[in-house]
Amino acid sequence: MLMLPRLLTYLTIGSGASYLTFCLVVFLGQRQLIYSPTPLLTLSPKHPLFNMPYQEVNIPVTTKKQDYLHCWHIFAPNPASKQHIILPEEPANIVSNKTILYFTGAGYNKGSYLARMKGFRQLGFSIFTCDYRGYGKSKGGYPKEQQFYDDARLAWNYLTQDQGIAPQDIIIYGESLGGAVSIELATQEPEVGGVIIQSSFTSMADTIKQMGLMRFVPVEMMLTEKFNSLKKVKQIQAPILFLHGTADELVPAYMSEKLYKAATQPKQLFFIPDASHTRLYRSGRNSYLKAMQRFIHSFIR
């Protein structure tokens, strides 16, 4: 019996040490756990599946001339030309002179999001998108929160300063992590034409706490990559649309509802029934492209 207290002490110490070790691993490796950059671009807009005319653009990072963002400027379709349609939704070309500045999620690179961009183009938009530093052909250090914001600023400055596109003719669209990047940028650009946030989260801490054992970890204290969109979204002055699939397996749909409630008017919230984190394709009134079209006709001139 005398051995039992000692055994319990050892077990307590061992469990505590294991817990602290787990927390340390999470703290030191959080960026590797959050971001999943892929350097290889396996697809481009000219692939036969997409057949989109585009221009490659390299935007230098001013602090380090050897670092740059690799970007695609995909041109809007000619209204008179027949488009190659690949998406199930009915294309509804709004014949817009606006440009979508598109920020992708935390995984892979922009080559994995071409179907989404094809949908935007079916609506008549030009699209400008860059890989963040560390992704695709973009050169720079391993991703971190401030670097995402800096890269978004570089893309915005290229469109507005180098290309002379008026802020009101740009719609910022952010998907998942790109939604947090878009919200940060939109808080600084009150004249932007509109903002669309898809499948995004209230904060990185809220998202991580959804993941199994992470609910037992003091995430708020440990996390350096905060992406606190809920705190920032109320500062956006432009029209904003939130899109989310009701069957999103990574970011619960209620997070978009919380963002929507925190945002100021004019705003819209659209849930895509049974859609997952990335697969949003539905037809008719449930099409996210149709929701985009209604949003643009409602708020954006």
Side-chain angles (χ1 to χ4, degrees), residues 27 30-31 34-35 144-146 219-227:
F27 174 72
Q30 60 185 275
R31 288 162 63 198
I34 294 171
Y35 312 127
K144 57 183 177 181
E145 183 176 4
Q146 187 57 50
V219 175
E220 287 88 350
M221 296 174 56
M222 297 167 51
L223 201 63
T224 61
E225 311 298 287
K226 298 185 182 299
F227 293 100

Side-chain angles (χ1 to χ4, degrees), residues 153-173:
R153 167 58 53 193
L154 288 170
W156 174 269
N157 289 347
Y158 173 81
L159 288 180
T160 56
Q161 298 176 14
D162 295 4
Q163 296 298 301
I165 299 176
Q168 58 267 28
D169 288 332
I170 299 174
I171 297 171
I172 299 173
Y173 188 117

Side-chain angles (χ1 to χ4, degrees), residues 162-211:
D162 295 4
Q163 296 298 301
I165 299 176
Q168 58 267 28
D169 288 332
I170 299 174
I171 297 171
I172 299 173
Y173 188 117
E175 177 169 350
S176 193
L177 181 81
V181 175
S182 297
I183 287 172
E184 169 72 17
L185 180 61
T187 63
Q188 303 169 28
E189 298 299 338
E191 294 184 0
V192 66
V195 183
I196 301 176
I197 305 298
Q198 179 225 309
S199 307
S200 200
F201 46 77
T202 49
S203 71
M204 185 59 70
D206 290 344
T207 307
I208 290 175
K209 284 188 291 187
Q210 306 283 326
M211 304 175 182

Side-chain angles (χ1 to χ4, degrees), residues 14-30:
S15 298
S18 297
Y19 175 75
L20 291 174
T21 300
F22 177 70
C23 290
L24 182 62
V25 169
V26 171
F27 174 72
L28 295 177
Q30 60 185 275

Side-chain angles (χ1 to χ4, degrees), residues 63-292:
T63 55
K64 293 182 179 179
K65 292 186 178 179
Q66 69 270 26
D67 294 348
Y68 59 85
L69 304 183
H70 180 258
C71 313
W72 290 334
H73 197 166
I74 300 171
F75 304 117
N78 183 333
S81 66
K82 294 187 69 173
Q83 294 190 64
H84 175 54
I85 305 302
I86 64 166
L87 299 182
E89 297 96 336
E90 297 176 9
N93 194 325
I94 60 176
V95 191
S96 173
N97 65 343
K98 299 188 184 298
T99 297
I100 286 186
L101 176 55
Y102 176 48
F103 296 109
T104 63
Y108 308 104
N109 55 52
K110 62 182 179 295
S112 301
Y113 298 84
L114 279 162
R116 185 87 66 236
M117 290 181 254
K118 180 70 175 180
F120 300 157
R121 191 169 183 268
Q122 285 179 200
L123 289 177
F125 291 106
S126 298
I127 305 108
F128 190 77
T129 187
C130 304
D131 272 325
Y132 313 111
R133 275 174 282 174
Y135 287 74
K137 293 183 179 180
S138 292
K139 301 299 182 184
Y142 198 84
K144 57 183 177 181
E145 183 176 4
Q146 187 57 50
Q147 188 168 291
F148 282 94
Y149 300 150
D150 293 343
D151 291 351
R153 167 58 53 193
L154 288 170
W156 174 269
N157 289 347
Y158 173 81
L159 288 180
T160 56
Q161 298 176 14
D162 295 4
Q163 296 298 301
I165 299 176
Q168 58 267 28
D169 288 332
I170 299 174
I171 297 171
I172 299 173
Y173 188 117
E175 177 169 350
S176 193
L177 181 81
V181 175
S182 297
I183 287 172
E184 169 72 17
L185 180 61
T187 63
Q188 303 169 28
E189 298 299 338
E191 294 184 0
V192 66
V195 183
I196 301 176
I197 305 298
Q198 179 225 309
S199 307
S200 200
F201 46 77
T202 49
S203 71
M204 185 59 70
D206 290 344
T207 307
I208 290 175
K209 284 188 291 187
Q210 306 283 326
M211 304 175 182
L213 293 175
M214 296 304 295
R215 71 189 66 180
F216 303 110
V217 175
V219 175
E220 287 88 350
M221 296 174 56
M222 297 167 51
L223 201 63
T224 61
E225 311 298 287
K226 298 185 182 299
F227 293 100
N228 194 339
S229 294
L230 189 60
K231 182 179 178 181
K232 302 173 185 176
V233 71
K234 64 188 70 174
Q235 302 172 41
I236 296 176
Q237 299 179 35
I240 185 167
L241 167 66
F242 298 94
L243 300 169
H244 216 122
T246 60
D248 192 320
E249 70 284 9
L250 294 179
V251 180
Y254 75 79
M255 289 194 178
S256 276
E257 187 169 11
K258 290 184 72 172
L259 290 171
Y260 168 77
K261 289 179 178 178
T264 58
Q265 296 284 1
K267 59 185 178 179
Q268 291 184 8
L269 172 65
F270 184 77
F271 289 123
I272 306 100
D274 302 319
S276 68
H277 188 64
T278 56
R279 293 192 62 82
L280 306 182
Y281 306 145
R282 292 293 183 272
S283 59
R285 296 287 299 178
N286 290 332
S287 162
Y288 80 101
L289 292 180
K290 292 285 190 181
M292 286 178 61

